[in-house]
Amino acid sequence: LFLNELEEILELTQPEEFEMVYKILFKRIGEAIGSPHFQIAERALFFWHNEYISSLIADYRKDILPIIFPALQVNSQNHWNQTVSTLTLNVLKIFVDIDSNLVEECSKAFEIEQERKEEKKKKRAERWALITKGG
C-alpha cells in the first residue's frame, strides 16, 4: 500500500520537490527492493515502469544509484523469486544503458565494501577464537 501511494504522489511531484526528498526516499525504496518478500521487492522495482518516475530517477541517477545499488546487486544474484530477479536485471540494464560508467563505479564500490565486511567478519572470528581459547 505504501509503495502504491508513493507512486501516485511521485507522479504529481515536480523535479524541484523531488530533489528535496529523493535521497531519503530512495533509502526506503532500496530497502523495499532488497526485501525477501517478493511482492514488496516487485512493487518497488515497478517504479521503473512509470515513465515520469523513471525520468526523474534518470535525472538524479548519480545520487540514486549508489543508494540502491547494493540491493540491486544482491537481488540480481540471490533473490529467491525469479520475477524479482528478472525485474532487478531490467533495472540494472536501464542504468547501464543511461550511464555505464556510473554502474561500474557503483559495482567497484560494492565489491570493496563487501571485501571490507568480509575482512571485518574474519577479524571478529579470529578475536573470538582467541578469547574462547585463552579462557
Side-chain angles (χ1 to χ4, degrees):
L1 183 62
F2 168 73
L3 294 170
N4 292 335
E5 296 293 325
L6 182 58
E7 182 173 11
E8 289 181 27
I9 292 168
L10 286 174
E11 287 176 339
L12 303 172
T13 302
Q14 297 300 312
E16 301 80 28
E17 298 165 328
F18 183 75
E19 189 172 353
M20 293 187 287
V21 299
Y22 73 89
K23 289 181 183 177
I24 294 169
L25 187 62
F26 277 87
K27 285 181 183 175
R28 179 70 71 196
I29 291 172
E31 291 171 3
I33 290 169
S35 174
H37 192 296
F38 80 95
Q39 289 175 319
I40 294 171
E42 183 178 72
R43 186 65 191 90
L45 291 162
F46 277 151
F47 281 122
W48 278 264
H49 289 191
N50 182 305
E51 191 174 320
Y52 179 69
I53 296 171
S54 189
S55 72
L56 287 173
I57 294 168
D59 290 344
Y60 293 92
R61 68 186 174 273
K62 290 191 185 322
D63 292 318
I64 292 174
L65 185 58
I67 295 169
I68 64 170
F69 188 84
L72 293 172
Q73 185 68 19
V74 170
N75 270 10
S76 71
Q77 298 173 357
N78 299 320
H79 203 281
W80 65 271
N81 183 278
Q82 185 59 46
T83 302
V84 171
S85 295
T86 302
L87 287 169
T88 301
L89 291 172
N90 290 342
V91 168
L92 283 169
K93 184 179 180 334
I94 290 168
F95 279 112
V96 167
D97 290 345
I98 60 175
D99 196 339
S100 60
N101 290 333
L102 179 61
V103 173
E104 187 63 32
E105 289 171 21
C106 290
S107 180
K108 287 178 183 175
F110 178 78
E111 288 175 24
I112 290 168
E113 180 63 18
Q114 292 304 106
E115 289 170 5
R116 187 191 66 75
K117 285 180 180 179
E118 196 58 41
E119 186 63 31
K120 188 175 179 180
K121 183 178 175 182
K122 182 180 172 185
K123 286 181 181 180
R124 187 180 313 121
E126 289 170 356
R127 285 193 302 261
W128 183 249
L130 283 173
I131 291 170
T132 58
K133 183 179 177 183

